Amino acid sequence: MGNPSLDAYQQVFGLACIANRAGGYNGTGSELQLQLQYDLSFYLNNVPPVKVMGQTAPSVADSSVTPILGDWNLVWGPALIEETDQKEKPTGVADNALFVAQCDAVAYPGGPTLPTYVVAVAATNPASLYDWETEDFSVAEVVNWTNYNPVLFKPSAYNGTDPYISNGTATGIKILLSLTSPPTAASPGTTLEEFIASLQPGPQSAIVFCGHSLAGALSPTLALYLKQHNQLDAFGVSLVYPTAGPTPGESAFANLFNNTFPPLPEGWTAQSGDYQSWNTMHWNTLDVVPHAWHQTDLQQIAQIYGQSPNLLTRSTLNTLQRLVLKRAATSGANYTRIQNQSLPGTLQHADQSSPTINTPPKTMKDYITQLFLQHVSLYSGIPAQPGSPAVQGLILPQPLPQPVYPPGKALLPGVKKVTSLELIIRIMEQILAWIASYATSLDGTLPKENSKNSSNKSKID
């Protein structure tokens, strides 16, 4: 088999996109895990069969996928977690998800061809209030990285010297390291750390950590944790490819990551594409999410798509901006991006869910629809629609092929697919709820940071 049409950067990003499929469904934790595993069987080889869907043998990736993505095998997971909310009610969504894929030969642009493992972390689930409150937005408190223990940690006062990560980042890493591959998944009964320790990859091998959105903060932090604890020493090359992530920590943490993971392995040749750099967070200039949590960047979010001509929309966005600025400043830490590369975004004026997207935004729906497109679709491309040409993505030219299943075999029993319009409405509801909570606080301060460090969770293992 020849080289796939996607280069190594794009293949890794494509695997992150596949992990994000976990966020497109509602169901119980066990149903959602099997649905993700079922979806993976379209893209990857050796995915254990999902018997309830009539599969009887490990998968062979669909013939439409391998010429584009390459020949990848599932070797661990997928594992995911369905959390409980503050009322101890299951969220009904995949709050975090993770899998590991392996390829015998990945041709690295400007570098060698290496056997490679990719640790693909799922993005923020837009339907998960837990993701938003406990991981993404939990930045008012920080955790000292020098003594961080994912099993037992607590926020502490920022001392201005040591590297610190946000409380939300610390919680996310704790969750990922606690996940166990389920009995019917690949490498069952093992955690990610146990699985990596069981490998004997050799010096001519690579491991890559990737993730989008929330996982754009979690994947570099996870890689740094494992690297500093000597758990990646058996690999000749350790890389990270995060996209669209908020800042995981402050300036000392960013410097620590940058020094541990330089942008280019020794002896490799730099590439010319904006998206073609390792250990670098790639972000769309019109994507709101990676503007968090540096103060200067946050000051742009209310008018990132132009100043709204509607008084209510303009006031709502200005209030949202004040809310996140205050939350980011609470700890005193100077949130700072790791080494990064901006990608030039372009405003979109129509979508399947919205025939017209006003820019500047007249309504919150205009703003959130534009945000959704810039944060998700623009990285992987937008297919042509009636009356609208295809839009080339910032990393992938166009999205990966969508799974094709026999009639009546697309969804597991009990699983419901979530539409993009439903996700947009959910995001609007959550933003307006935060603003209402902020505006009605009697002393003008933000509500207390969510301290529910995943003590009540439903792991699928």
Side-chain angles (χ1 to χ4, degrees):
M1 176 180 168
N3 288 332
S5 60
L6 299 181
D7 66 25
Y9 306 96
Q10 294 169 318
Q11 291 175 53
V12 169
F13 178 71
L15 292 170
C17 293
I18 296 170
N20 296 344
R21 295 187 65 85
Y25 304 105
N26 287 339
T28 66
S30 58
E31 292 168 347
L32 294 168
Q33 187 280 326
L34 286 173
Q35 181 67 53
L36 177 58
Q37 186 166 319
Y38 185 56
D39 285 359
L40 291 183
S41 69
F42 181 81
Y43 296 98
L44 308 176
N45 301 310
N46 295 315
V47 178
V50 178
K51 294 181 179 179
V52 70
M53 300 304 284
Q55 294 181 328
T56 59
S59 67
V60 175
D62 192 83
S63 60
S64 68
V65 172
T66 48
I68 300 171
L69 184 64
D71 203 20
W72 291 88
N73 306 290
L74 181 70
V75 291
W76 184 90
L80 63 76
I81 186 170
E82 176 197 13
E83 295 284 356
T84 55
D85 61 21
Q86 294 298 316
K87 297 180 180 179
E88 307 304 323
K89 180 181 177 181
T91 60
V93 298
D95 294 291
N96 292 94
L98 178 70
F99 71 84
V100 182
Q102 179 271 343
C103 181
D104 290 335
V106 175
Y108 288 89
T113 296
L114 299 173
T116 298
Y117 292 84
V118 170
V119 179
V121 184
T124 299
N125 185 336
S128 170
L129 186 59
Y130 182 93
D131 271 9
W132 287 64
E133 289 187 339
T134 307
E135 297 182 59
D136 284 292
F137 268 65
S138 184
V139 296
E141 295 179 310
V142 290
V143 175
N144 192 320
W145 180 258
T146 57
N147 53 21
Y148 171 63
N149 179 349
V151 176
L152 183 65
F153 70 90
K154 61 181 180 180
S156 59
Y158 178 58
N159 65 19
T161 303
D162 293 333
Y164 282 78
I165 57 175
S166 71
N167 188 50
T169 301
T171 300
I173 298 303
K174 172 183 178 178
I175 292 171
L176 294 179
L177 291 176
S178 72
L179 293 176
T180 302
S181 185
T184 58
S187 300
T190 62
T191 65
L192 177 64
E193 289 179 283
E194 291 168 343
F195 171 74
I196 291 175
S198 73
L199 299 175
Q200 297 179 333
Q204 298 300 315
S205 61
I207 186 168
V208 187
F209 295 79
C210 65
H212 190 78
S213 188
L214 168 64
L218 296 183
S219 56
T221 309
L222 176 62
L224 182 60
Y225 176 84
L226 296 174
K227 183 78 169 178
Q228 289 191 313
H229 288 78
N230 303 316
Q231 297 185 55
L232 306 181
D233 290 352
F235 296 90
V237 177
S238 300
L239 302 171
V240 187
Y241 196 77
T243 52
T247 55
E250 46 68 77
S251 56
F253 178 83
N255 289 335
L256 177 62
F257 176 86
N258 297 346
N259 291 332
T260 305
F261 289 93
L264 198 64
E266 186 176 354
W268 292 25
T269 304
Q271 301 299 293
S272 59
D274 286 345
Y275 70 88
Q276 292 179 312
S277 47
W278 299 110
N279 306 330
T280 300
M281 204 279 286
H282 296 83
W283 60 286
N284 172 5
T285 55
L286 293 178
D287 183 354
V288 171
V289 173
H291 282 72
W293 292 96
H294 190 273
Q295 290 284 315
T296 301
D297 295 324
L298 285 172
Q299 292 172 9
Q300 302 174 27
I301 65 173
Q303 297 185 31
I304 192 170
Y305 308 129
Q307 180 170 283
S308 175
N310 179 276
L311 177 60
L312 179 59
T313 301
R314 187 166 66 248
S315 298
T316 300
L317 292 171
N318 287 336
T319 302
L320 172 65
Q321 181 171 292
R322 287 196 301 271
L323 185 158
V324 295
L325 279 165
K326 185 165 185 176
R327 176 157 286 200
T330 298
S331 71
N334 179 27
Y335 283 107
T336 303
R337 288 193 188 109
I338 61 172
Q339 54 210 3
N340 65 93
Q341 173 63 53
S342 63
L343 307 173
T346 54
L347 289 172
Q348 301 302 301
H349 303 287
D351 176 56
Q352 282 183 308
S353 65
S354 300
T356 300
I357 306 172
N358 295 297
T359 53
K362 292 182 179 180
T363 65
M364 282 300 296
K365 185 173 184 291
D366 287 330
Y367 183 90
I368 298 301
T369 302
Q370 189 73 245
L371 184 159
F372 187 84
L373 288 170
Q374 298 295 336
H375 184 54
V376 179
S377 305
L378 261 292
Y379 291 89
S380 56
I382 302 175
Q385 304 292 336
S388 300
V391 178
Q392 179 159 319
L394 296 171
I395 300 178
L396 297 185
Q398 285 287 282
L400 294 175
Q402 292 298 299
V404 177
Y405 297 121
K409 292 287 188 179
L411 296 174
L412 268 78
V415 173
K416 177 187 175 184
K417 189 171 179 60
V418 181
T419 67
S420 60
L421 178 59
E422 289 173 322
L423 291 177
I424 289 167
I425 292 172
R426 181 62 170 154
I427 294 170
M428 285 194 293
E429 290 174 344
Q430 292 175 177
I431 287 176
L432 294 175
W434 291 325
I435 292 174
S437 179
Y438 175 65
T440 58
S441 58
L442 297 178
D443 59 359
T445 60
L446 291 174
K448 182 174 175 57
E449 186 102 301
N450 191 331
S451 60
K452 181 177 176 283
N453 282 327
S454 65
S455 58
N456 297 308
K457 58 189 180 182
S458 176
K459 286 193 297 183
I460 309 305
D461 52 22

